């Protein structure tokens, strides 16, 4: 199984440990992983700001880097969703194939690899943030407002980690307020939403907040640090590879 590892630019620049944990996890479950060195931004920030017509260079670069991979996997729900819905190319047939083969990390592990055991230990109380792109775009977990059977692919994997206590929150699928460029254009609203989201975790005594999107975790981490909180954030890949 030849997997191309797609690492979003903000992970590459600010959270490289998440990229390393993702690589280790994929190799641990038997994948042959390559990292195309010429990859760069997927174009989502431009598209979200109303400039999708300027993302052609990003699209063509993505196609060049990942066209020959059996699967493309990323530790980011938002960037995965952007490629899955918005990647286009002069070679549209190749772009269509890529859109059908790109997966967010947890959905790849549960749906394609079908992981049912993990050699991981994390003896802490953990709150899960279910980010909007992953939940409502990629459907990696059920939306609580629907009268439908609940499921969560991240929870399915976290339940395999020894000694981890997954904490139940009051509003488990509420937006953290990051929203990409939303946190810049609507700063006050974004911060208030983030504070509300963090408060839910703090009320329940978590030691760590985890999720599938580092962007959301980065937003909440800033709020935690400004409050001098001892609660930390960790991407789910870091927990699934933990051997504490």
């Amino acid at each position: 199984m030849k997997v191309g590892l797609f690492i979003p630019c903000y992970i590459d620049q600010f959270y490289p440990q998440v990229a390393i944990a993702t690589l280790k996890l994929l190799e641990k479950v038997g994948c042959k992983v390559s990292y195309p060195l010429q990859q760069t931004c997927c174009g989502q920030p431009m598209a979200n700001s109303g400039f999708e017509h300027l993302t052609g260079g990003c699209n063509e670069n993505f196609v060049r880097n990942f066209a020959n991979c059996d699967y493309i996997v990323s530790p980011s729900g938002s960037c995965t969703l952007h490629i899955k819905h918005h990647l286009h190319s002069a070679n549209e047939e190749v772009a269509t194939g890529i859109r059908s083969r790109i997966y967010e990390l947890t959905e790849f592990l549960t749906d394609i690899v079908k992981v049912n055991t993990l050699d991981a230990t994390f003896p802490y109380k953990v709150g899960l943030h279910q980010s909007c792109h992953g939940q409502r775009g990629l459907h990696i977990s059920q939306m609580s407002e629907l009268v439908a059977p609940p499921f969560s692919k991240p929870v399915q994997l976290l339940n395999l980690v020894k000694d981890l206590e997954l904490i139940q929150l009051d509003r488990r699928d509420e937006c953290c307020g990051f929203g990409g460029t939303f946190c810049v254009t609507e700063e006050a609203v974004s911060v208030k939403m983030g504070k509300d989201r963090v408060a839910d975790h703090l009320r329940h005594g978590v030691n760590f907040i985890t999720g599938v999107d580092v962007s959301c975790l980065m937003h909440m981490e800033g709020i935690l640090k400004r409050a001098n909180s001892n609660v930390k954030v960790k991407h789910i890949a870091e927990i699934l590879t933990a051997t504490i």
Side-chain angles (χ1 to χ4, degrees), residues 180-200:
T181 52
F182 176 82
C183 71
V184 177
T185 59
E186 297 289 348
E187 177 187 359
V189 178
S190 173
V191 170
K192 182 59 170 70
M193 292 173 71
K195 286 182 176 180
D196 288 348
R197 195 74 230 103
V198 166
D200 193 0

Side-chain angles (χ1 to χ4, degrees), residues 54-111:
L54 299 180
T55 61
C58 296
N59 289 343
E60 297 300 341
N61 187 64
F62 197 94
V63 169
R64 281 194 300 271
N65 277 273
F66 292 99
N68 296 321
C69 299
D70 297 332
Y71 296 97
I72 301 104
V73 177
S74 178
S76 166
S78 62
C79 293
T80 297
L81 183 67
H82 176 74
I83 293 297
K84 190 177 284 289
H85 284 189
H86 300 288
L87 180 70
H88 295 285
S89 168
N91 191 336
E92 191 60 23
E93 183 178 354
V94 175
T96 299
I98 289 175
R99 291 199 302 270
S100 69
R101 300 196 308 276
I102 187 167
Y103 290 86
E104 180 275 326
L105 177 63
T106 63
E107 66 173 343
F108 181 74
L109 294 174
T110 56
D111 296 359

Side-chain angles (χ1 to χ4, degrees), residues 16-202:
Q17 72 274 14
V18 173
I20 294 169
T22 302
L23 172 62
K24 289 180 177 178
L25 182 56
L26 289 171
E27 291 181 336
K28 198 172 184 179
V29 299
C31 297
K32 182 180 179 181
V33 184
S34 65
Y35 178 78
L37 293 176
Q38 301 304 314
Q39 63 177 286
T40 184
C41 179
C42 65
Q44 182 186 181
M46 284 185 285
N48 287 350
S49 300
F51 297 97
E52 187 177 359
H53 61 289
L54 299 180
T55 61
C58 296
N59 289 343
E60 297 300 341
N61 187 64
F62 197 94
V63 169
R64 281 194 300 271
N65 277 273
F66 292 99
N68 296 321
C69 299
D70 297 332
Y71 296 97
I72 301 104
V73 177
S74 178
S76 166
S78 62
C79 293
T80 297
L81 183 67
H82 176 74
I83 293 297
K84 190 177 284 289
H85 284 189
H86 300 288
L87 180 70
H88 295 285
S89 168
N91 191 336
E92 191 60 23
E93 183 178 354
V94 175
T96 299
I98 289 175
R99 291 199 302 270
S100 69
R101 300 196 308 276
I102 187 167
Y103 290 86
E104 180 275 326
L105 177 63
T106 63
E107 66 173 343
F108 181 74
L109 294 174
T110 56
D111 296 359
I112 304 302
V113 182
K114 301 189 184 303
V115 169
N116 54 30
T117 182
L118 283 171
D119 181 19
T121 303
F122 198 73
Y124 299 100
K125 295 180 178 179
V126 176
L128 173 64
H129 175 67
Q130 305 201 104
S131 58
C132 300
H133 283 93
Q135 183 174 47
R136 302 176 188 281
L138 297 174
H139 307 295
I140 64 173
S141 60
Q142 186 60 274
M143 293 170 276
S144 62
E145 67 268 21
L146 297 182
V147 182
F151 71 89
S152 173
K153 295 171 186 179
V155 167
Q156 182 179 331
L157 293 169
L158 289 170
N159 284 338
L160 300 177
V161 178
K162 184 180 178 182
D163 297 333
L164 183 150
E165 182 181 352
L166 189 59
I167 302 301
Q168 297 301 313
L169 304 171
D170 295 330
R171 301 173 71 89
R172 64 181 182 272
D173 55 4
E174 185 173 80
C175 178
C176 71
F178 177 70
T181 52
F182 176 82
C183 71
V184 177
T185 59
E186 297 289 348
E187 177 187 359
V189 178
S190 173
V191 170
K192 182 59 170 70
M193 292 173 71
K195 286 182 176 180
D196 288 348
R197 195 74 230 103
V198 166
D200 193 0
H201 291 271
L202 297 181

